[in-house]
Amino acid sequence: MKQKRKPIGPAVGLSISKHIALLDISDLKEFHLQIESKFKRDIAQMSAKYEAQIKELNASQKKELAEFLGGETLAVKTYMSIHRKNIIVSLCSFIETKLNGVCRSLHKKNNLPEKHTDSRRDKGITRARKYIKNHTKIDFIKFNSEWTKLNDLFKIRDCLIHCGGDIKLLEENKENNKIRILKDIVRSSKWLSIKGERHLELEKKFVDEALEIASTFIEKLYEEYFQCNIVQGNQKM
């Protein structure tokens, strides 16, 4: 007869969850870097192609080639922009999923009467954070810097999802407070800008920084959750 496997203890389960989460972010980082490297190579190749051909062309042909390669370069830069926005949207979804996972774990482990989704006053990561704070001794002040930056990141994400990154659409919806907040976030970052006074533009380093912040936050969150479980377990002994 097969022996029944012993159930995984909460400490081991949390350690595995943290490890998998950090691996997922690492994979996202690697994917991001690979795509950015390809874009960089493509633009360099276009520039080299232009420099190699332009010497043998007359003025009219030079203009035609410049227009063609300019269109090609613009297409690559458009793909770069889409890629960066998609990474931010995916990253935010990942973080929200992990926070909601901690909430579900708390609900199941402690037989709590209410789920985090029962709250209608808050939503998203704010709702998850409040639920975790109410039912654990996790001190969010320990990673307040990461949390503040993630909040800003989610505001960028919301604009990308609901308005395609076009802040003018927020004006049409008379959401002036959101516009002010977004412009403040852009002003505070070296890697964000607003193109044509309406379109959010993300530099590669903005995405790099967001991935690092998310990784640090996830590591600190699981470590705090782990410590809380150890303390509670010792108190019951």
Side-chain angles (χ1 to χ4, degrees):
M1 291 178 64
K2 283 187 176 181
Q3 290 185 341
K4 289 185 177 179
R5 290 183 180 180
K6 292 182 179 180
I8 295 174
V12 176
L14 283 171
S15 179
I16 292 172
S17 295
K18 182 179 84 168
H19 182 67
I20 291 173
L22 292 175
L23 276 178
D24 286 342
I25 294 180
S26 180
D27 287 344
L28 194 58
K29 286 180 186 177
E30 184 63 29
F31 172 72
H32 166 59
L33 291 176
Q34 286 179 2
I35 296 299
E36 288 285 350
S37 295
K38 182 184 183 305
F39 287 145
K40 190 175 180 179
R41 286 195 305 271
D42 288 347
I43 291 175
Q45 287 170 2
M46 289 176 195
S47 179
K49 183 178 179 181
Y50 176 78
E51 293 297 329
Q53 294 182 9
I54 196 171
K55 299 173 185 177
E56 302 173 4
L57 303 178
N58 59 40
S60 177
Q61 290 172 326
K62 287 178 181 178
K63 182 179 178 183
E64 187 176 337
L65 178 63
E67 288 176 353
F68 172 75
L69 291 178
E72 291 282 292
T73 303
L74 179 61
V76 172
K77 288 182 177 179
T78 300
Y79 296 146
M80 287 171 67
S81 177
I82 293 170
H83 158 74
R84 291 166 187 169
K85 291 171 182 177
N86 284 341
I87 289 289
I88 294 302
V89 171
S90 298
L91 182 62
C92 288
S93 296
F94 173 82
I95 293 165
E96 189 168 349
T97 298
K98 294 305 172 185
L99 281 167
N100 287 337
V102 172
C103 292
R104 287 192 296 271
S105 172
L106 280 171
H107 176 261
K108 183 178 180 180
K109 176 178 174 290
N110 299 314
N111 292 315
L112 299 173
E114 77 281 355
K115 298 178 180 179
H116 70 288
T117 50
D118 291 339
S119 173
R120 294 292 178 264
R121 182 175 298 178
D122 301 297
K123 58 183 180 179
I125 60 171
T126 301
R127 179 175 63 188
R129 179 179 185 269
K130 187 172 287 187
Y131 188 85
I132 293 168
K133 281 192 69 177
N134 287 341
H135 297 292
T136 69
K137 293 183 179 180
I138 289 178
D139 185 4
F140 275 83
I141 292 176
K142 290 183 179 180
F143 35 93
N144 189 57
S145 174
E146 289 82 14
W147 181 259
T148 300
K149 290 173 182 175
L150 286 178
N151 262 312
D152 289 347
L153 190 66
F154 270 78
K155 290 179 175 66
I156 296 291
R157 188 281 305 261
D158 290 345
C159 183
L160 294 176
I161 288 179
H162 302 299
C163 303
D166 186 347
I167 64 172
K168 285 289 183 181
L169 294 180
L170 292 174
E171 286 184 3
E172 292 177 12
N173 296 332
K174 297 182 179 179
E175 297 182 272
N176 294 325
N177 188 49
K178 288 184 179 180
I179 294 172
R180 181 184 58 77
I181 292 171
L182 277 171
K183 287 183 175 179
D184 286 344
I185 293 171
V186 170
R187 277 193 289 268
S188 68
S189 172
K190 293 185 287 185
W191 320 120
L192 283 174
S193 60
I194 299 175
K195 186 178 179 181
E197 298 186 359
R198 65 184 304 164
H199 295 288
L200 283 173
E201 288 291 314
L202 284 59
E203 297 292 328
K204 172 185 174 293
K205 288 191 177 181
F206 177 80
V207 182
D208 295 343
E209 186 179 71
L211 287 162
E212 289 301 326
I213 291 166
S215 182
T216 302
F217 172 76
I218 289 294
E219 187 161 15
K220 288 183 177 180
L221 174 69
Y222 276 98
E223 185 59 33
E224 276 291 297
Y225 190 31
F226 174 81
Q227 292 300 329
C228 283
N229 274 271
I230 294 299
V231 170
Q232 288 176 358
N234 290 339
Q235 288 175 346
K236 291 176 182 178
M237 292 176 66

